[in-house]
Amino acid sequence: AQSVTQPDIHITVSEGASLELRCNYSYGATPYLFWYVQSPGQGLQLLLKYFSGDTLVQGIKGFEAEFKRSQSSFNLRKPSVHWSDAAEYFCAVGVKQAGTALIFGKGTTLSVSS
Amino acid sequence: ETGVTQSPTHLIKTRGQQVTLRCSSQSGHNTVSWYQQALGQGPQFIFQYYREEENGRGNFPPRFSGLQFPNYSSELNVNALELDDSALYLCASSLQGNNEQFFGPGTRLTVL
């Protein structure tokens, strides 16, 4: 069955430090992969996506992610974290049914310390 | 360009009641998906609508049903509410064939 695992429930990073959020997926075919961010009480905002091609993808707000097929991973990175990056981050895989359903991980909460 | 909107923002129901949530898709989008996000969890796929028909469904019972209208807006209906239905319900719109989904702010449902 398709699934997404985000091993880290909560991460605290100092402002200005680098960030890496981990994501592993299980899917039999070539995956469509996404990272979304959710601020408290808000909907989901798309940070970046991977469909095919270059395995290093750039997103909004200075985020990037690297697709590694051999490791079934799609980790999110940012070189320098800002206090406004504190939020919940979700990794998702797009699963082809009649349409496309997104299967989400349980999320990683990012706290930023000053 | 108008984004995805949902109404109401919050609502409170009692167990056994029925509820209808509404979603207006982003301009130009013809597909609507609904997700349930329980507290502390990731969103779970309920179903998707395209051309006014259900186009895929997750592991949710039949008391979760939906509609899509000719203007691509959508409703999610939940009958016989249970306490575990308390969650944030998210609507997402997209273009059929395009995997990128755009989410609305959600409706917070509390079942007492």
Side-chain angles (χ1 to χ4, degrees):
Chain A
Q2 305 91 352
S3 65
V4 174
T5 301
Q6 294 181 246
D8 304 306
I9 297 173
H10 191 182
I11 285 181
T12 300
V13 175
S14 298
E15 190 169 16
S18 63
L19 169 71
E20 182 170 27
L21 301 182
R22 295 182 292 165
C23 172
N24 293 97
Y25 67 89
S26 173
Y27 186 53
T30 300
Y32 301 119
L33 295 164
F34 306 84
W35 275 99
Y36 284 87
V37 62
Q38 185 177 39
S39 298
Q42 302 297 311
L44 300 170
Q45 181 183 23
L46 179 67
L47 286 175
L48 47 77
K49 59 186 182 287
Y50 171 79
F51 290 170
S52 64
D54 193 347
T55 56
L56 184 64
V57 294
Q58 303 296 321
I60 63 171
K61 304 184 179 184
F63 286 93
E64 67 178 27
E66 186 172 12
F67 169 59
K68 292 186 177 180
R69 185 186 299 274
S70 62
Q71 298 177 19
S72 297
S73 69
F74 189 57
N75 294 348
L76 181 71
R77 300 194 294 249
K78 186 170 184 177
S80 177
V81 169
H82 187 261
W83 64 266
S84 60
D85 293 325
E88 187 86 14
Y89 290 80
F90 293 96
C91 181
V93 62
V95 174
K96 279 291 188 183
Q97 301 179 339
T100 299
L102 295 178
I103 307 298
F104 286 86
K106 293 189 175 182
T108 297
T109 301
L110 173 65
S111 297
V112 180
S113 62
S114 55
Chain B
E1 182 178 270
T2 305
V4 179
T5 60
Q6 293 186 242
S7 63
T9 305
H10 297 86
L11 74 166
I12 299 173
K13 293 286 187 178
T14 56
R15 195 170 43 183
Q17 286 189 312
Q18 178 265 341
V19 69
T20 297
L21 311 182
R22 295 177 175 82
C23 171
S24 292
S25 59
Q26 183 167 313
S27 177
H29 287 179
N30 56 13
T31 301
V32 175
S33 304
W34 286 92
Y35 294 82
Q36 180 196 66
Q37 185 179 17
L39 201 61
Q41 301 295 314
Q44 283 194 290
F45 176 70
I46 303 175
F47 44 55
Q48 185 178 89
Y49 276 81
Y50 171 62
R51 289 186 175 178
E52 302 176 46
E53 292 191 357
E54 190 178 285
N55 191 39
R57 189 178 184 93
N59 189 26
F60 280 81
R63 60 189 185 84
F64 286 78
S65 63
L67 286 172
Q68 187 183 31
F69 300 99
N71 67 354
Y72 307 128
S73 66
S74 176
E75 288 182 354
L76 164 65
N77 299 288
V78 187
N79 294 321
L81 284 167
E82 301 176 0
L83 298 180
D84 285 348
D85 295 334
S86 295
L88 180 68
Y89 288 85
L90 296 164
C91 168
S93 73
S94 58
L95 272 173
Q96 186 66 11
N98 186 321
N99 297 290
E100 189 170 337
Q101 297 185 15
F102 294 84
F103 284 80
T107 294
R108 173 72 63 186
L109 172 65
T110 301
V111 182
L112 302 176

